[in-house]
Amino acid sequence: MSIADDFAGLTFRTTTAEDYDDVISLRRHLYGGTDKIPYRYYELLEHSTGFAGFINSTMVCFMFAAIIDDGKSVLIQAIRVRKEYEGKGAYSRLRAFCMTFLDL
């Protein structure tokens, strides 16, 4: 299977509170159980924008981004990629979507 096949049907969108379970399912045991996302997802969503990539209905990547410097810069606060998509460009594609979405 080629990398192009891995990303057939990849779509992106911003996340909402309803995406919590999908976000958490990406990497349940990250940082030995000290990952801040399970505990602060809703709080971070109030002040940042969540972005996610999906293949069919499965979330394959996620990131939180905050606009800083009076709208001139983006601060990436968290990144998660489903294990089987690591190192294949999922995050790069998500980051590109984020920059286009934020018009930066």
Side-chain angles (χ1 to χ4, degrees), residues 14-66:
T14 58
T15 63
T16 66
E18 289 78 32
D19 293 306
Y20 175 84
D21 289 335
D22 283 337
V23 170
I24 301 310
S25 76
L26 288 175
R27 300 302 285 268
R28 289 200 185 274
H29 304 290
L30 195 62
Y31 306 125
T34 63
D35 182 16
K36 68 180 179 183
I37 298 298
Y39 308 103
R40 297 190 58 210
Y41 178 79
Y42 301 107
E43 176 187 347
L44 289 166
L45 198 56
E46 290 178 20
H47 306 288
S48 304
T49 303
F51 295 92
F54 295 83
I55 295 178
N56 299 317
S57 60
T58 301
M59 185 181 289
V60 298
C61 53
F62 166 81
M63 66 184 269
F64 265 126

